[in-house]
Amino acid sequence: MSRKIRIEKEFLVLPAAGQMSTRRLFFRQDGEKVFELDLPVGKKDEIRFYAAIPAEKWKGRELSLEFEESTPETEELMECITQSDEYEQKDHSDALRPSIHFTPAYGWMNDPNGLLYKNGEYHMYFQYNPVNDIWGNMSWGHAVSKDLLHWKQEPPAILPGKDGAIFSGCAVDNREKVGALAENAWIFYYTCGGGASAWSRENKSPFSQKLAYSTDGGKSLLTYEAGGLPCEQDEDRDPKIYWHEESNAYYMVLYLSGSDFGIYRSKDLFCWEKTQELTFDGMMECPDLFPLETGQGRKWVFLSADGSYIVGDFDGFQFKPLQEKQSVYGTDLPYAGQTFVGTEEKILVKWLRTWNKDETYTGTMSVPTELGLTEKEGKYILTQKFTENFEMQKKIFMELESYQGDEIELRGMNGRGTAELEITWDIKNPDERALELLLGKEKLRYQAEEEQLVFTGDAGINEEKSMTVPKDTERLRILSDGPILEVLSGDGRVYGAFELNEKPEDVWKLRVRNRKMVRIYTVG
């Protein structure tokens, strides 16, 4: 069954039913395929949400829509496709949706991409499947914020095409006014996942790094066919590009395969020369290479997706490690962090690999943190702290000294459970290092002798997880926002994240030996 639609509005609104069972939906104009995606199918009463995709480029034209395989379910869904001039963002279940951690209204989200501060706004692009809450149809979603805490989701900026899926990439500081592009063009690089979609397999498209640009303030990205870097290995990916002032050129760090990475240089973002290939055992994907100031001058940090990092020197051509690999994450929930371009501070956003049980979306972004380098016992350590915007929006939530008994009840704000709370706990005195946060059926407790902060999830949903907290830690900050707990030490050396699976009906309770050591704030 096919359906002809004359595109008259900005968006096509597609029904997303089921989850795992998908069918390819073809979009054809005058018999030629112009777009396709894998749409989850089911009966009409199984529609979980409606997803809007940009259709402006087809406005005024007639499209023919057809599923690869026609079934009673696909015929029902075909009749549910509509048009709109508004970008629909109606989520249907938000009992545990966080407030200051970005989540998409619906769909799957993973790696942050193209992080850019421009004209007073933070732009965050991200790996996105707009029509299902499992991985697929890889596009770049888009969100904008003025303070890194409150985000507005924008329509997807670029969708997969005949050459492949839109995988991870970065924004570029266009100080050299690239090629024939307008001076106000915003420049991006992304991995084109040739072979990652049926359409690209039909065209035998390879993996490659492609240049994209925007002339409408980042709302839409267009591929610039003249730029790019051909594939060297099977699936090299995840370009991150900066301008290196001292050597007067751009440099790119790229993941190759296994534990191998490449460094490339370019004067114009079109022609690239490899200057180094590196192997760091146990590190893979989403490399970043950036400088940070220390008391001994500037040092460079090579960071990979799982939070592993190596500190060294970099001259614009080669990176020389100075010490062994370390990790900036204490748990396995954060992944694929990326830093912003256009900020004086080095600000990091991580993808938190949450499951978001019973929701219409999957994936959460961390609260952004500012990176630093500190030296301890002759070793450089990468640190994180909450941003200045975060600190400015904190207010005292409750005074603890007036409470009697061993347990303090933490009642939430505006019926949202215990959302948007920061618990700051001073633990300088070993005799006062006793704290438990009771979260319904889940619990966060500190075990001083083992130097562990332990999260115990609901039985059958979340196994026990823990993170190391060294004995010389003087302060812990526990941020609670919907289903997310992020933990950060006062000196920034300790960071971890946990996902709750409980709905916030139960009153949360705090057990602490010395209440004078605890302060509780609201944030945002």
mmCIF file of all heavy atoms in Angstrom, residues 252-284:
data_model
loop_
_atom_site.group_PDB
_atom_site.id
_atom_site.type_symbol
_atom_site.label_atom_id
_atom_site.label_comp_id
_atom_site.label_asym_id
_atom_site.label_seq_id
_atom_site.Cartn_x
_atom_site.Cartn_y
_atom_site.Cartn_z
ATOM 1 N N MET A 252 42.824 17.205 13.842
ATOM 2 C CA MET A 252 41.705 16.290 14.066
ATOM 3 C C MET A 252 42.221 15.049 14.792
ATOM 4 O O MET A 252 43.261 14.493 14.423
ATOM 5 C CB MET A 252 41.077 15.857 12.733
ATOM 6 C CG MET A 252 39.993 14.772 12.861
ATOM 7 S SD MET A 252 39.612 13.927 11.278
ATOM 8 C CE MET A 252 38.931 15.272 10.323
ATOM 9 N N VAL A 253 41.500 14.637 15.841
ATOM 10 C CA VAL A 253 41.750 13.319 16.426
ATOM 11 C C VAL A 253 40.603 12.424 15.986
ATOM 12 O O VAL A 253 39.435 12.832 15.971
ATOM 13 C CB VAL A 253 41.877 13.365 17.957
ATOM 14 C CG1 VAL A 253 43.216 13.914 18.366
ATOM 15 C CG2 VAL A 253 40.759 14.159 18.596
ATOM 16 N N LEU A 254 40.945 11.195 15.589
ATOM 17 C CA LEU A 254 39.975 10.292 14.980
ATOM 18 C C LEU A 254 40.183 8.891 15.535
ATOM 19 O O LEU A 254 41.326 8.438 15.687
ATOM 20 C CB LEU A 254 40.166 10.286 13.458
ATOM 21 C CG LEU A 254 39.147 9.528 12.618
ATOM 22 C CD1 LEU A 254 37.792 10.250 12.638
ATOM 23 C CD2 LEU A 254 39.645 9.389 11.171
ATOM 24 N N TYR A 255 39.086 8.208 15.840
ATOM 25 C CA TYR A 255 39.168 6.807 16.244
ATOM 26 C C TYR A 255 39.306 5.941 15.002
ATOM 27 O O TYR A 255 38.543 6.096 14.050
ATOM 28 C CB TYR A 255 37.925 6.398 17.034
ATOM 29 C CG TYR A 255 37.881 4.924 17.354
ATOM 30 C CD1 TYR A 255 38.847 4.356 18.178
ATOM 31 C CD2 TYR A 255 36.887 4.107 16.824
ATOM 32 C CE1 TYR A 255 38.814 3.001 18.474
ATOM 33 C CE2 TYR A 255 36.845 2.759 17.120
ATOM 34 C CZ TYR A 255 37.811 2.206 17.939
ATOM 35 O OH TYR A 255 37.784 0.853 18.227
ATOM 36 N N LEU A 256 40.285 5.036 14.994
ATOM 37 C CA LEU A 256 40.528 4.181 13.832
ATOM 38 C C LEU A 256 39.895 2.803 14.029
ATOM 39 O O LEU A 256 38.903 2.472 13.402
ATOM 40 C CB LEU A 256 42.033 4.062 13.572
ATOM 41 C CG LEU A 256 42.754 5.390 13.298
ATOM 42 C CD1 LEU A 256 44.246 5.176 13.081
ATOM 43 C CD2 LEU A 256 42.142 6.107 12.096
ATOM 44 N N SER A 257 40.444 1.984 14.918
ATOM 45 C CA SER A 257 39.869 0.677 15.241
ATOM 46 C C SER A 257 40.608 0.121 16.430
ATOM 47 O O SER A 257 41.712 0.583 16.765
ATOM 48 C CB SER A 257 39.988 -0.293 14.054
ATOM 49 O OG SER A 257 41.349 -0.578 13.777
ATOM 50 N N GLY A 258 40.008 -0.899 17.089
ATOM 51 C CA GLY A 258 40.670 -1.472 18.252
ATOM 52 C C GLY A 258 40.982 -0.410 19.276
ATOM 53 O O GLY A 258 40.099 0.278 19.778
ATOM 54 N N SER A 259 42.282 -0.253 19.595
ATOM 55 C CA SER A 259 42.737 0.799 20.507
ATOM 56 C C SER A 259 43.584 1.832 19.778
ATOM 57 O O SER A 259 44.436 2.490 20.376
ATOM 58 C CB SER A 259 43.543 0.174 21.657
ATOM 59 O OG SER A 259 42.732 -0.675 22.446
ATOM 60 N N ASP A 260 43.346 1.963 18.467
ATOM 61 C CA ASP A 260 44.156 2.847 17.621
ATOM 62 C C ASP A 260 43.434 4.158 17.316
ATOM 63 O O ASP A 260 42.225 4.170 17.039
ATOM 64 C CB ASP A 260 44.499 2.157 16.294
ATOM 65 C CG ASP A 260 45.341 0.905 16.489
ATOM 66 O OD1 ASP A 260 46.046 0.821 17.520
ATOM 67 O OD2 ASP A 260 45.284 0.017 15.628
ATOM 68 N N PHE A 261 44.212 5.247 17.322
ATOM 69 C CA PHE A 261 43.704 6.578 17.023
ATOM 70 C C PHE A 261 44.662 7.263 16.059
ATOM 71 O O PHE A 261 45.852 6.940 15.998
ATOM 72 C CB PHE A 261 43.586 7.420 18.296
ATOM 73 C CG PHE A 261 42.711 6.831 19.357
ATOM 74 C CD1 PHE A 261 43.220 5.923 20.278
ATOM 75 C CD2 PHE A 261 41.377 7.176 19.441
ATOM 76 C CE1 PHE A 261 42.414 5.373 21.265
ATOM 77 C CE2 PHE A 261 40.555 6.636 20.415
ATOM 78 C CZ PHE A 261 41.071 5.726 21.327
ATOM 79 N N GLY A 262 44.147 8.225 15.297
ATOM 80 C CA GLY A 262 44.977 8.996 14.392
ATOM 81 C C GLY A 262 44.881 10.482 14.679
ATOM 82 O O GLY A 262 43.839 10.971 15.138
ATOM 83 N N ILE A 263 45.971 11.206 14.419
ATOM 84 C CA ILE A 263 45.987 12.671 14.474
ATOM 85 C C ILE A 263 46.268 13.185 13.076
ATOM 86 O O ILE A 263 47.189 12.705 12.389
ATOM 87 C CB ILE A 263 47.049 13.186 15.463
ATOM 88 C CG1 ILE A 263 46.690 12.736 16.888
ATOM 89 C CG2 ILE A 263 47.153 14.705 15.402
ATOM 90 C CD1 ILE A 263 47.697 13.159 17.945
ATOM 91 N N TYR A 264 45.464 14.157 12.632
ATOM 92 C CA TYR A 264 45.556 14.705 11.275
ATOM 93 C C TYR A 264 45.662 16.215 11.361
ATOM 94 O O TYR A 264 45.175 16.837 12.317
ATOM 95 C CB TYR A 264 44.321 14.319 10.455
ATOM 96 C CG TYR A 264 44.112 12.833 10.296
ATOM 97 C CD1 TYR A 264 43.573 12.074 11.332
ATOM 98 C CD2 TYR A 264 44.445 12.188 9.105
ATOM 99 C CE1 TYR A 264 43.381 10.709 11.196
ATOM 100 C CE2 TYR A 264 44.251 10.813 8.957
ATOM 101 C CZ TYR A 264 43.724 10.089 10.013
ATOM 102 O OH TYR A 264 43.535 8.731 9.873
ATOM 103 N N ARG A 265 46.249 16.840 10.322
ATOM 104 C CA ARG A 265 46.370 18.290 10.245
ATOM 105 C C ARG A 265 45.804 18.807 8.925
ATOM 106 O O ARG A 265 45.848 18.119 7.896
ATOM 107 C CB ARG A 265 47.844 18.715 10.329
ATOM 108 C CG ARG A 265 48.407 18.726 11.722
ATOM 109 C CD ARG A 265 49.899 19.020 11.700
ATOM 110 N NE ARG A 265 50.210 20.289 11.055
ATOM 111 C CZ ARG A 265 50.190 21.470 11.670
ATOM 112 N NH1 ARG A 265 49.845 21.550 12.945
ATOM 113 N NH2 ARG A 265 50.532 22.577 11.027
ATOM 114 N N SER A 266 45.298 20.032 8.983
ATOM 115 C CA SER A 266 44.779 20.667 7.770
ATOM 116 C C SER A 266 44.850 22.183 7.930
ATOM 117 O O SER A 266 44.606 22.714 9.021
ATOM 118 C CB SER A 266 43.337 20.244 7.514
ATOM 119 O OG SER A 266 42.789 20.941 6.411
ATOM 120 N N LYS A 267 45.149 22.868 6.850
ATOM 121 C CA LYS A 267 45.113 24.331 6.838
ATOM 122 C C LYS A 267 43.727 24.856 6.496
ATOM 123 O O LYS A 267 43.374 25.989 6.823
ATOM 124 C CB LYS A 267 46.125 24.869 5.816
ATOM 125 C CG LYS A 267 47.587 24.614 6.173
ATOM 126 C CD LYS A 267 48.054 25.533 7.282
ATOM 127 C CE LYS A 267 49.558 25.423 7.497
ATOM 128 N NZ LYS A 267 50.045 26.319 8.566
ATOM 129 N N ASP A 268 42.929 24.013 5.795
ATOM 130 C CA ASP A 268 41.679 24.522 5.222
ATOM 131 C C ASP A 268 40.450 23.669 5.526
ATOM 132 O O ASP A 268 39.357 23.960 5.032
ATOM 133 C CB ASP A 268 41.826 24.661 3.706
ATOM 134 C CG ASP A 268 42.184 23.331 3.033
ATOM 135 O OD1 ASP A 268 42.174 22.282 3.708
ATOM 136 O OD2 ASP A 268 42.458 23.357 1.818
ATOM 137 N N LEU A 269 40.590 22.607 6.318
ATOM 138 C CA LEU A 269 39.506 21.680 6.654
ATOM 139 C C LEU A 269 39.099 20.784 5.482
ATOM 140 O O LEU A 269 38.154 19.997 5.608
ATOM 141 C CB LEU A 269 38.265 22.415 7.182
ATOM 142 C CG LEU A 269 38.411 23.081 8.545
ATOM 143 C CD1 LEU A 269 37.152 23.876 8.879
ATOM 144 C CD2 LEU A 269 38.672 22.049 9.634
ATOM 145 N N PHE A 270 39.781 20.885 4.353
ATOM 146 C CA PHE A 270 39.480 20.031 3.201
ATOM 147 C C PHE A 270 40.535 18.939 3.030
ATOM 148 O O PHE A 270 40.198 17.766 2.906
ATOM 149 C CB PHE A 270 39.390 20.878 1.923
ATOM 150 C CG PHE A 270 38.213 21.793 1.881
ATOM 151 C CD1 PHE A 270 38.301 23.094 2.338
ATOM 152 C CD2 PHE A 270 37.000 21.347 1.396
ATOM 153 C CE1 PHE A 270 37.206 23.945 2.304
ATOM 154 C CE2 PHE A 270 35.891 22.189 1.368
ATOM 155 C CZ PHE A 270 35.995 23.492 1.822
ATOM 156 N N CYS A 271 41.788 19.337 2.982
ATOM 157 C CA CYS A 271 42.890 18.402 2.747
ATOM 158 C C CYS A 271 43.555 18.075 4.089
ATOM 159 O O CYS A 271 44.002 18.983 4.801
ATOM 160 C CB CYS A 271 43.919 19.005 1.794
ATOM 161 S SG CYS A 271 43.243 19.412 0.174
ATOM 162 N N TRP A 272 43.612 16.787 4.414
ATOM 163 C CA TRP A 272 44.133 16.347 5.702
ATOM 164 C C TRP A 272 45.369 15.469 5.517
ATOM 165 O O TRP A 272 45.433 14.646 4.608
ATOM 166 C CB TRP A 272 43.063 15.567 6.464
ATOM 167 C CG TRP A 272 41.893 16.409 6.870
ATOM 168 C CD1 TRP A 272 40.752 16.615 6.171
ATOM 169 C CD2 TRP A 272 41.782 17.167 8.073
ATOM 170 N NE1 TRP A 272 39.909 17.457 6.849
ATOM 171 C CE2 TRP A 272 40.512 17.807 8.038
ATOM 172 C CE3 TRP A 272 42.596 17.373 9.180
ATOM 173 C CZ2 TRP A 272 40.067 18.638 9.062
ATOM 174 C CZ3 TRP A 272 42.149 18.187 10.209
ATOM 175 C CH2 TRP A 272 40.901 18.814 10.143
ATOM 176 N N GLU A 273 46.318 15.637 6.427
ATOM 177 C CA GLU A 273 47.537 14.826 6.432
ATOM 178 C C GLU A 273 47.663 14.151 7.805
ATOM 179 O O GLU A 273 47.585 14.829 8.840
ATOM 180 C CB GLU A 273 48.761 15.695 6.173
ATOM 181 C CG GLU A 273 50.083 14.952 6.302
ATOM 182 C CD GLU A 273 51.282 15.878 6.295
ATOM 183 O OE1 GLU A 273 51.083 17.120 6.326
ATOM 184 O OE2 GLU A 273 52.419 15.357 6.295
ATOM 185 N N LYS A 274 47.843 12.832 7.802
ATOM 186 C CA LYS A 274 48.038 12.145 9.074
ATOM 187 C C LYS A 274 49.454 12.417 9.581
ATOM 188 O O LYS A 274 50.428 12.237 8.859
ATOM 189 C CB LYS A 274 47.825 10.646 8.931
ATOM 190 C CG LYS A 274 47.941 9.900 10.278
ATOM 191 C CD LYS A 274 48.029 8.397 10.118
ATOM 192 C CE LYS A 274 46.689 7.809 9.753
ATOM 193 N NZ LYS A 274 46.750 6.317 9.725
ATOM 194 N N THR A 275 49.564 12.849 10.839
ATOM 195 C CA THR A 275 50.872 13.136 11.421
ATOM 196 C C THR A 275 51.257 12.147 12.518
ATOM 197 O O THR A 275 52.416 12.121 12.938
ATOM 198 C CB THR A 275 50.901 14.560 12.000
ATOM 199 O OG1 THR A 275 49.895 14.681 13.017
ATOM 200 C CG2 THR A 275 50.666 15.591 10.910
ATOM 201 N N GLN A 276 50.286 11.350 12.995
ATOM 202 C CA GLN A 276 50.614 10.388 14.045
ATOM 203 C C GLN A 276 49.523 9.337 14.147
ATOM 204 O O GLN A 276 48.336 9.628 13.947
ATOM 205 C CB GLN A 276 50.770 11.092 15.403
ATOM 206 C CG GLN A 276 51.305 10.207 16.516
ATOM 207 C CD GLN A 276 51.481 10.958 17.822
ATOM 208 O OE1 GLN A 276 50.899 12.025 18.033
ATOM 209 N NE2 GLN A 276 52.289 10.414 18.728
ATOM 210 N N GLU A 277 49.934 8.104 14.440
ATOM 211 C CA GLU A 277 48.992 7.046 14.799
ATOM 212 C C GLU A 277 49.377 6.553 16.183
ATOM 213 O O GLU A 277 50.550 6.284 16.461
ATOM 214 C CB GLU A 277 49.024 5.912 13.788
ATOM 215 C CG GLU A 277 47.910 4.894 14.005
ATOM 216 C CD GLU A 277 47.717 3.949 12.829
ATOM 217 O OE1 GLU A 277 47.817 4.411 11.673
ATOM 218 O OE2 GLU A 277 47.462 2.757 13.078
ATOM 219 N N LEU A 278 48.386 6.467 17.066
ATOM 220 C CA LEU A 278 48.616 6.141 18.467
ATOM 221 C C LEU A 278 47.848 4.886 18.852
ATOM 222 O O LEU A 278 46.732 4.658 18.369
ATOM 223 C CB LEU A 278 48.143 7.291 19.360
ATOM 224 C CG LEU A 278 48.870 8.631 19.201
ATOM 225 C CD1 LEU A 278 47.987 9.757 19.711
ATOM 226 C CD2 LEU A 278 50.184 8.599 19.953
ATOM 227 N N THR A 279 48.419 4.081 19.734
ATOM 228 C CA THR A 279 47.730 2.931 20.300
ATOM 229 C C THR A 279 47.734 3.062 21.813
ATOM 230 O O THR A 279 48.802 3.130 22.435
ATOM 231 C CB THR A 279 48.411 1.611 19.894
ATOM 232 O OG1 THR A 279 48.386 1.486 18.474
ATOM 233 C CG2 THR A 279 47.676 0.426 20.509
ATOM 234 N N PHE A 280 46.546 3.145 22.389
ATOM 235 C CA PHE A 280 46.388 3.219 23.839
ATOM 236 C C PHE A 280 45.519 2.050 24.272
ATOM 237 O O PHE A 280 44.298 2.055 24.077
ATOM 238 C CB PHE A 280 45.738 4.544 24.254
ATOM 239 C CG PHE A 280 46.569 5.760 23.963
ATOM 240 C CD1 PHE A 280 46.002 6.889 23.385
ATOM 241 C CD2 PHE A 280 47.918 5.780 24.279
ATOM 242 C CE1 PHE A 280 46.763 8.022 23.133
ATOM 243 C CE2 PHE A 280 48.688 6.912 24.019
ATOM 244 C CZ PHE A 280 48.112 8.033 23.449
ATOM 245 N N ASP A 281 46.130 1.039 24.853
ATOM 246 C CA ASP A 281 45.404 -0.174 25.234
ATOM 247 C C ASP A 281 44.230 0.161 26.152
ATOM 248 O O ASP A 281 44.363 0.918 27.116
ATOM 249 C CB ASP A 281 46.341 -1.158 25.937
ATOM 250 C CG ASP A 281 47.363 -1.771 24.999
ATOM 251 O OD1 ASP A 281 47.119 -1.724 23.775
ATOM 252 O OD2 ASP A 281 48.390 -2.280 25.478
ATOM 253 N N GLY A 282 43.086 -0.438 25.830
ATOM 254 C CA GLY A 282 41.895 -0.250 26.646
ATOM 255 C C GLY A 282 41.118 1.009 26.360
ATOM 256 O O GLY A 282 40.057 1.234 26.956
ATOM 257 N N MET A 283 41.599 1.859 25.448
ATOM 258 C CA MET A 283 40.877 3.074 25.088
ATOM 259 C C MET A 283 40.273 2.901 23.701
ATOM 260 O O MET A 283 40.883 2.283 22.823
ATOM 261 C CB MET A 283 41.806 4.286 25.115
ATOM 262 C CG MET A 283 42.374 4.580 26.490
ATOM 263 S SD MET A 283 43.622 5.909 26.534
ATOM 264 C CE MET A 283 42.657 7.355 26.117
ATOM 265 N N MET A 284 39.066 3.423 23.503
ATOM 266 C CA MET A 284 38.443 3.338 22.190
ATOM 267 C C MET A 284 37.352 4.385 22.045
ATOM 268 O O MET A 284 36.783 4.848 23.027
ATOM 269 C CB MET A 284 37.857 1.945 21.936
ATOM 270 C CG MET A 284 36.705 1.547 22.849
ATOM 271 S SD MET A 284 36.025 -0.080 22.465
ATOM 272 C CE MET A 284 35.335 0.216 20.839
#
